[in-house]
Amino acid sequence: MILAGYRLELWGVRMNRIEGGCHCGNLYYVFEASTGLEQLGVRACMCRFCRAHGARNSSDPNGAIQIDVRDPAQLVRYRFGLKTADFLLCAHCGVYIGAYLPDENGGRFTVNVNTFCEPPPLEFPLVPHDFGEENKAGRIERRKAKWTPVTSFRV
Ligand SMILES: [Zn+2]
């Protein structure tokens, strides 16, 4: 399934270009996925934050994401729990777009697919995940292995 936009060639690989962002347009991203959401999977994280937002999350370690913030004063970087990632919310419209793990290579991101310009249907298969037992090192390791490389984060 191609959810939004079109396919393009990137490094010789066919990529699915998916645009999305918060409701008011302050936070915007282009997610280039190497395959469809059926293959990537959509996760329902069982932490209280994701449950409260009804977040549906996906990521692609073989993809790329570019994030743009128009008004940095309206970007909230919320940290909780082990405090290894920034959960990015728009302070103006309140939407949660995904979580950012900073690292030495530009960082990693997991995206809330509800914020795609054309989100997957409500009946899209959702796999519950509970990461509550992870320690800090294990959590960072998993995210570096599974989340999407951030190729640009303009604030
Ligand atoms: Zn907004």
Side-chain angles (χ1 to χ4, degrees), residues 41-94:
V42 177
R43 304 180 295 273
C45 173
M46 290 291 106
C47 85
R48 288 189 61 220
F49 178 88
C50 285
R51 294 186 80 167
H53 281 274
R56 296 185 294 169
N57 309 304
S58 193
S59 55
D60 181 0
N62 300 311
I65 193 163
Q66 294 99 47
I67 304 162
D68 277 285
V69 177
R70 301 219 160 93
D71 180 2
Q74 300 292 324
L75 169 66
V76 174
R77 298 170 182 259
Y78 179 60
R79 286 198 170 200
F80 61 96
L82 298 175
K83 298 189 170 67
T84 54
D86 295 326
F87 287 70
L88 304 184
L89 299 114
C90 177
H92 186 227
C93 69

Side-chain angles (χ1 to χ4, degrees), residues 99-117:
Y100 174 67
L101 173 77
D103 73 10
E104 60 283 355
N105 299 314
R108 296 275 178 160
F109 197 74
T110 181
V111 69
N112 177 7
V113 304
N114 292 329
T115 65
F116 288 178
C117 290

Side-chain angles (χ1 to χ4, degrees), residues 1 3 18 29 31 33 35-46 50 53-61 96-97 110-116 118-131 142 146-148:
M1 187 197 309
L3 291 162
I18 299 168
Y29 59 79
F31 175 31
T35 184
L37 270 191
E38 290 88 349
Q39 285 73 41
L40 296 176
V42 177
R43 304 180 295 273
C45 173
M46 290 291 106
C50 285
H53 281 274
R56 296 185 294 169
N57 309 304
S58 193
S59 55
D60 181 0
Y96 164 60
I97 63 161
T110 181
V111 69
N112 177 7
V113 304
N114 292 329
T115 65
F116 288 178
E118 294 175 40
L122 287 177
E123 59 273 22
F124 196 93
L126 205 50
V127 182
H129 282 271
D130 190 337
F131 302 111
R142 169 178 57 81
K146 306 262 183 176
W147 285 11
T148 308

Side-chain angles (χ1 to χ4, degrees), residues 17 28-32 64-68 149-153:
R17 179 188 161 97
Y28 169 80
Y29 59 79
V30 176
F31 175 31
E32 288 156 340
I65 193 163
Q66 294 99 47
I67 304 162
D68 277 285
V150 177
T151 50
S152 163
F153 189 177

